Amino acid sequence: MFGQEKSEAWQNICSVYEKYKNINIRDLFTQDPDRAKKYTLVLGNLLFDYSKNRINDEIMAALFALARDCRLEEKISAMFGGRKINRTENRAVLHTALRHRDEEPVMLGSIDVMPQIKATLLKMRKFSEDVRLGKFCGYTGKKLTNIVNIGIGGSDLGPFMATSALKSYWAKDINCFFISNIDGTACAEVLNNINPEETLFIVASKTFTTIETLTNARTCRKWLVDALGEHAVANHFIALSTNREEVEKFGINPKNMFEFWDFVGGRYSMWSAIGMIICIAIGFENFEKMLDGAYAMDKHFAETDFEHNIPVILALIGIWYNNFYNIHRYCVIPYDQYLKYLPNYLQQLDMESNGKTFTFENKPANYATGPVLFGGAGTDVQHSFFQMLHQGTEIIPVDFIIPAISHNEIGNHHRILISNVLAQAEALMKGRSADEVASELEAKGMTKVEIGKIKNYKSFSGNRPSNMIVLRKIDPYSLGMLVAMYEHKVFVQGAIWNINSFDQFGVELGKKMALDILPEIEGMYSDIEHDASTASLIKYIRKIRK
Ligand code: F6P
């Protein structure tokens, strides 16, 4: 809440921080042989080891007290209970209903939302099965094997990440493509490689007004009509949206529209009709398994005490570093090729949700909110930014993710991959002192003078924190669990920072200004006054494009 840092719970953490700010994780392991066991939680096939953090029981207790002080339990119930917690947009936040897998109703005011969700799921099942079986086919009777998702942000990143993550479950004859960027190259690179007769375009847009998506969709529509004629559109275009009117205006028959609702935020929508390309690629039963996994995490989150609650602990550890150590960076590294787009997905989830300044009290937060999130696939990123993780002046907490079993157990690749992820976490935590470096080099016969020149450069400060998340295998169920875990982590942090994690007004200003600049780039003048830099850039680019 505003004035958060003045609350007793917050002040208590400040004192705890002063007491323990220099604790060393390596020492904590020496002092407590049970530490790994104590700070590990298992939920189904997901293991969460948070022992390599700068935490102890007293720190965790203070963080749990902060969560209670912020009425986290009440806020969790409010979300699951369909209360309008997205206050700036006056909307409920019920993406959890999309994966609600038992018979109880989910109420939004006096309405149970489950019948409409189940009806859409049924429609998705029928359509995806028909496409996979070739029953819903192209205008000329050919099977639709190129599935192109046109969408951006939440209407792209979730489907893209999940279909990539579950590639080993794709039907053999199906190929998925994604067009998101307004850059014509994004369209060209897909259209140049597909055949219109075998292509299904899925226009995915919650609002159906997003300029990137509509521009890309119009280009694809024209490409199809030029090849097969106007009548072909009904066989080759479907829409996923909340906006029936705009879908019709665009020229897609509402029969070919799959609906979702205002209570589903864009970045929380891959569980809804927005997941259509996932369904077509992996089959509806596998899609349902993904929902089952997310539901298992939802239940765990809603029903487990904070002390054993994975998303709550993940979030509180993030707050410990962000608000008390003043570390405003956070890194997620999946050691799995199929999960390589997870960091991109999490960037929107985390940074669009919690990159906010104003609290629910309409006052600027006097503490840091969402951190910068980045990442990439291990081991690739070991050879790019890991230098900084190990020896930079900035401390960057890391989440490592690894499946115990690979979908491609070729030779010893996966054993090498596992060795690497475990080694990186251990190296970050243990480090290597200059003295340790010196003894090693001495044993190799180096002179004292030579050692003196090099030992600092080869030393590692250590005490760098990380979480380890181990999944059995990257399957639909565990992917569902993993993504829901991060959604709830983001929710808990937003709840503690007292910000609305569910609006995104921050993306609007630039969008509006782009519309003002467009006529000027197109050679017309507008009456908008620009700063000198923007004005001269417009002039310069126009001259080149003449
Ligand atoms: O980036 C802003 C945003 O509104 C996202 O929240 C959303 O996921 C994306 O644009 C796409 O919006 P739509 O699905 O309405 O096209």
Side-chain angles (χ1 to χ4, degrees), residues 151-155 204-210 213 260 266-267 274 348 352 504 507 511:
I152 197 162
S155 300
S205 176
K206 180 176 169 181
T207 54
F208 232 77
T209 56
T210 307
T213 301
F260 63 112
R267 54 194 171 276
I274 290 291
Q348 187 200 15
E352 198 173 76
Q504 56 284 315
V507 296
K511 272 206 283 201

Side-chain angles (χ1 to χ4, degrees), residues 485-514:
M485 175 191 82
Y486 277 113
E487 285 180 352
H488 296 320
K489 180 222 106 164
V490 167
F491 173 84
V492 171
Q493 294 188 331
I496 290 175
W497 291 322
N498 196 31
I499 52 176
N500 183 1
S501 302
F502 300 102
D503 61 13
Q504 56 284 315
F505 297 122
V507 296
E508 282 177 12
L509 179 62
K511 272 206 283 201
K512 187 188 164 299
M513 287 166 79

